[in-house]
Amino acid sequence: MIFTYAMISFSVLIFITAMVGCIGSIRHSTCCLKAFLAMTLVFIFLQIGGVLFVYLQKNSIPTFLSSAWAEVNQETRNLVQSELYCCGFNGTQDYISQGQDLDRSCYLANATNAGAGVTDSSVVYQTGCYDKLTSWLDTNTHVWGSVLGSLALLEIACIVTAGRVLTKIQIAQRIQNEDEEDEDEEEEDYELTRTHTPKSDPPPYDPFQDPFTPDPRIRPMRQRPPPKNMRF
């Protein structure tokens, strides 16, 4: 079950990474975008490490295939047997040694006498799925390389795009913060100017000025209204 759990965990991590990137782009969240960049870089390093591990441990491929074959269910085995024209992992003896009948996927498509106890090579695939799987892997090596290369290019494109979006968001936030600081400084300067501006003294009295111009040093007298009982 290790292989199955590993694939499920890897798929869940890819889904979470994609969701974090989408949320960061929509919400303009620098934290989410940084997390997306970090997780994508981790995936790239994991892929490089996986390729190097497979290359260095290529002699352990039979053990890995045997473990994977033991973990998958019978429906998956039947699918592999029908697609690769094989029977059992090592051959028909896998079924015979366990006292089981051959599955229908072990028989040729046009076999008319398929049934329990029939192991004739004219109607049953005699080659084991291990040989077919190793041959299939060797034949499709360029396909695996193309898929991994395309995936790496896609991840690099995602990193470049996320980096550009993150840079633009940071520049916009920096400009906004500078504008807010400028506005705060202008408000502080205005308050200081308004509260610390000294009151201007009245101009000195000029005796040669127009006689009808009142002396600014003398407060004008307040005119009282005449009494109500006064008659003119």
Side-chain angles (χ1 to χ4, degrees), residues 1-5 65-74 77:
M1 298 297 289
I2 297 176
F3 178 77
T4 303
Y5 290 147
L65 292 178
S66 178
S67 300
W69 184 266
E71 291 181 4
V72 297
N73 54 27
Q74 188 60 40
R77 296 175 186 174

Side-chain angles (χ1 to χ4, degrees), residues 18-32:
M19 288 299 297
V20 170
C22 290
I23 293 173
S25 299
I26 295 173
R27 303 295 297 176
H28 292 175
S29 174
T30 56
C31 181
C32 290

Side-chain angles (χ1 to χ4, degrees), residues 7-232:
M7 295 302 298
I8 293 175
S9 302
F10 188 73
S11 302
V12 171
L13 288 176
I14 291 177
F15 175 76
I16 293 174
T17 304
M19 288 299 297
V20 170
C22 290
I23 293 173
S25 299
I26 295 173
R27 303 295 297 176
H28 292 175
S29 174
T30 56
C31 181
C32 290
L33 288 175
K34 290 179 181 179
F36 172 76
L37 289 173
M39 296 172 74
T40 307
L41 286 174
V42 169
F43 280 130
I44 291 178
F45 289 132
L46 286 177
Q47 291 171 8
I48 295 174
V51 172
L52 294 176
F53 177 79
V54 172
Y55 178 76
L56 295 175
Q57 300 292 329
K58 57 184 178 181
N59 295 328
S60 300
I61 291 179
T63 304
F64 171 76
L65 292 178
S66 178
S67 300
W69 184 266
E71 291 181 4
V72 297
N73 54 27
Q74 188 60 40
E75 294 182 357
T76 305
R77 296 175 186 174
N78 297 339
L79 178 62
V80 174
Q81 290 174 159
S82 60
E83 292 293 331
L84 298 182
Y85 309 114
C86 58
C87 184
F89 187 71
N90 296 307
T92 56
Q93 60 270 22
D94 290 351
Y95 288 94
I96 298 173
S97 61
Q98 297 178 5
Q100 299 178 355
D101 295 333
L102 299 181
D103 189 82
R104 183 64 181 83
S105 58
C106 288
Y107 293 91
L108 277 68
N110 57 355
T112 57
N113 57 343
V118 178
T119 59
D120 188 3
S121 60
S122 61
V123 293
V124 176
Y125 301 122
Q126 298 296 321
T127 306
C129 291
Y130 167 72
D131 296 333
K132 291 288 186 177
L133 285 171
T134 53
S135 177
W136 179 78
L137 290 174
D138 294 338
T139 305
N140 295 276
T141 303
H142 62 284
V143 177
W144 288 104
S146 301
V147 171
L148 291 175
S150 301
L151 184 60
L153 290 176
L154 179 61
E155 291 172 343
I156 293 173
C158 291
I159 290 175
V160 173
T161 304
R164 294 189 61 181
V165 173
L166 179 61
T167 303
K168 290 183 179 180
I169 293 174
Q170 290 177 341
I171 292 173
Q173 290 179 350
R174 190 181 303 113
I175 294 174
Q176 183 179 0
N177 294 333
E178 291 177 355
D179 293 341
E180 292 177 355
E181 291 177 358
D182 293 340
E183 291 178 359
D184 294 339
E185 291 178 357
E186 291 178 358
E187 291 179 358
E188 292 177 358
D189 294 341
Y190 174 75
E191 292 293 334
L192 291 174
T193 304
R194 188 173 64 85
T195 55
H196 293 82
T197 301
K199 296 182 179 180
S200 58
D201 297 330
Y205 176 71
D206 186 6
F208 300 103
Q209 66 180 358
D210 188 2
F212 295 99
T213 301
D215 189 351
R217 297 173 297 176
I218 302 176
R219 294 179 61 185
M221 297 181 61
R222 181 179 179 184
Q223 297 182 357
R224 298 180 180 178
K228 293 183 180 180
N229 297 332
M230 184 176 294
R231 297 181 179 177
F232 292 96

